Amino acid sequence: MDNFTLTICTMLVSIMMAAAMAGLYGTSRDEAALPDWIAAMLCFSVSSLLAVVHAYWPLPFLLVPGIANALYLAGHGFIFSGIRQHIGGRSAYNWIAVLALFSLSLHFLPAIATSLDRRIIIFYAMVLALCLASALYILVSRRQCTIGGYTPLLWVLGLFFTQMLLREVAMVADLAGVSVPGSAYLRSAGSLFVMLYIIAIAMAFAYLITWQKAEALRTSALTDSLTGWYNRRALMRMAPQVFDECRNKNQSLCIVILDVDHFKQINDTYGHVIGDKVLQHITVQARQAYGPGKWLFRLGGEEFAILLADTEPEQASSIAEKIREAVNHSPYQYHKAIWVSISLGIAAATAQDVSWEAVLDRADKALYQAKATGRNTVCSDTTLAFTGT
Ligand SMILES: Nc1nc2c(ncn2[C@@H]2O[C@H](COP(=O)(O)OP(=O)(O)OP(=O)(O)O)[C@@H](O)[C@H]2O)c(=O)[nH]1
């Protein structure tokens, strides 16, 4: 395929990808990155359109290559800006404007205006910088999390960056009079690479949005909407893994069950809405008292469980006591202070336990003991020693 045909194809492909991104935006209006990615595709298509028209009716130098190049660069800028927004950063419109104007102004410099090779070398360097910035932004800001849905995007950026770098090296070598094998092919295949890049990156964006939605669904299926703690379904899924992991690593595993005391009275006195607020308040207090641990579950109603991996029973007792105290000493403030207390039962996994359910069952029995002993107390299954008030 000759370059002219490839440029027409690039223009059509960019329009189709812009339409695909717009379709995706129709179903994901809250996704701030999509308008940027639509703008990127439109920039690529108008840039190609100018090149196509120029082949038939020569346009002024300011339009081609001036504005065509600035638009192409802006396209890459919008890709970067969209990625930033998708990860939670701010848009980069100021930078896009500065870069496009800078690129345009370069075309007025005689040394650059008169040399296609110099123009291309400078222009490639700017595209390389934007491509690298996009990839680095993902890698740096996601280093604490899983890369997950960003993987295809990183591959596309990486491959595009590599071929751009090879072309840049070939161009510089040509200019310096050094012959590089495959240099002519690399130079002529530029339009093909751009077209493939536009298709691939649009697909990577679509994959990322779909992956993110699936992740959000997975998370909400495992999360209790009232308290933000994991729900019972999550416990069923995660507890066997935690149990097996502790067993394999020879670590102690404790389970704490906590239950709000006389919660029915709170509902009856203040109504279910305030009852819900009290439950939220209790989980916030418990979470703060406990610290950064992640295995917090709402079993149902006003009953909760905490898995304490790699925690000895004595440590578990002191954590439970800390939680009990925190809840007991911080009433929920409504028109007046609503004082609440919780009872807690603890059990530790033993060598005889074949499953986590056996430990949960003993923790439940310990909780029953705590309720039977007057509530607002911590009861341990192993010792049946009572603490608290
Ligand atoms: N507001 C609110 N109430 C709930 C929710 N889930 C369960 N409940 C209420 O929690 C109460 C639990 O009552 P009981 O099982 O008798 O327990 P209790 O009154 O806390 O008494 P003890 O546990 O024996 O101290 C019931 O009134 C339920 O309607 C919820 O999501 N929100």
Side-chain angles (χ1 to χ4, degrees):
M1 237 192 265
D2 60 282
N3 250 339
F4 177 71
T5 315
L6 277 170
T7 311
I8 293 184
C9 290
T10 305
M11 181 187 75
L12 295 175
V13 158
S14 311
I15 293 171
M16 284 192 289
M17 294 303 133
M21 295 285 107
L24 207 54
Y25 186 57
T27 58
S28 317
R29 295 250 163 206
D30 53 340
E31 186 46 76
L34 278 170
D36 282 25
W37 293 335
I38 296 169
M41 298 301 150
L42 292 177
C43 284
F44 291 141
S45 60
V46 178
S47 172
S48 307
L49 176 69
L50 286 172
V52 170
V53 173
H54 185 65
Y56 279 101
W57 300 283
L59 295 170
F61 187 76
L62 187 66
L63 272 179
V64 179
I67 289 186
N69 281 349
L71 279 171
Y72 181 71
L73 211 56
H76 285 279
F78 276 117
I79 286 177
F80 172 63
S81 175
I83 289 172
R84 261 175 72 134
Q85 294 203 70
H86 191 268
I87 292 178
R90 281 186 294 141
S91 64
Y93 302 143
N94 294 347
W95 285 104
I96 297 171
V98 167
L99 212 64
L101 287 174
F102 175 67
S103 154
L104 190 61
S105 61
L106 284 179
H107 292 75
F108 291 102
L109 295 178
I112 290 171
T114 52
S115 163
L116 173 67
D117 284 354
R118 275 193 215 126
R119 243 185 356 253
I120 292 179
I121 286 172
I122 292 178
F123 193 61
Y124 278 10
M126 290 196 274
V127 174
L128 275 168
L130 278 172
C131 207
L132 188 65
S134 299
L136 284 180
Y137 196 85
I138 297 172
L139 289 171
V140 171
S141 46
R142 301 282 303 176
R143 68 178 188 276
Q144 304 291 349
C145 328
T146 49
I147 293 292
Y150 291 90
T151 309
L153 189 51
L154 280 172
W155 272 102
V156 173
L157 288 168
L159 287 173
F160 187 72
F161 179 86
T162 308
Q163 64 83 28
M164 281 297 283
L165 191 64
L166 289 176
R167 281 163 67 196
E168 178 82 335
V169 170
M171 290 289 304
V172 175
D174 273 4
L175 213 61
V178 180
S179 121
V180 175
S183 158
Y185 174 74
L186 271 176
R187 288 182 70 154
S188 64
S191 306
L192 178 64
F193 286 137
V194 170
M195 189 181 77
L196 292 178
Y197 172 68
I198 290 170
I199 297 172
I201 204 146
M203 286 169 70
F205 290 150
Y207 174 81
L208 178 59
I209 302 286
T210 316
W211 173 84
Q212 196 184 26
K213 278 183 185 252
E215 268 304 280
L217 267 180
R218 255 195 298 276
T219 307
S220 79
L222 297 178
T223 307
D224 171 52
S225 57
L226 182 71
T227 60
W229 285 24
Y230 284 125
N231 59 19
R232 196 176 193 106
R233 182 187 289 145
L235 180 75
M236 299 296 169
R237 190 174 293 183
M238 294 170 187
Q241 293 165 9
V242 179
F243 182 81
D244 289 344
E245 211 175 300
C246 287
R247 180 129 300 179
N248 295 338
K249 292 184 183 165
N250 215 12
Q251 290 175 344
S252 169
L253 168 70
C254 292
I255 297 183
V256 176
I257 300 190
L258 57 104
D259 186 285
V260 185
D261 297 330
H262 300 305
F263 189 59
K264 189 173 179 313
Q265 277 177 22
I266 292 174
N267 272 334
D268 291 348
T269 313
Y270 303 99
H272 262 72
V273 175
I274 297 301
D276 283 354
K277 301 250 185 241
V278 171
L279 281 182
Q280 284 172 331
H281 177 73
I282 290 170
T283 50
V284 169
Q285 300 309 312
R287 143 75 69 203
Q288 279 171 4
Y290 170 38
K294 54 181 178 174
W295 309 119
L296 302 152
F297 303 86
R298 183 178 182 195
L299 297 178
E302 20 72 89
E303 198 175 33
F304 303 86
I306 303 177
L307 300 190
L308 299 170
D310 195 15
T311 308
E312 295 300 326
E314 301 76 40
Q315 284 173 279
S317 283
S318 78
I319 291 171
E321 182 55 27
K322 221 168 124 188
I323 294 173
R324 186 198 65 75
E325 263 187 37
V327 173
N328 195 221
H329 292 122
S330 49
Y332 175 70
Q333 298 295 342
Y334 181 45
H335 294 306
K336 61 174 196 154
I338 302 176
W339 293 91
V340 271
S341 67
I342 53 174
S343 299
L344 302 96
I346 309 170
T350 65
Q352 285 74 45
D353 289 324
V354 286
S355 74
W356 66 277
E357 278 110 329
V359 191
L360 186 80
D361 202 40
R362 288 203 304 280
D364 207 28
K365 287 195 173 89
L367 172 69
Y368 182 79
Q369 292 283 342
K371 289 276 181 187
T373 349
R375 297 177 173 79
N376 191 18
T377 195
V378 177
C379 181
S380 160
D381 160 69
T382 46
T383 60
L384 289 183
F386 302 106
T387 57
T389 53

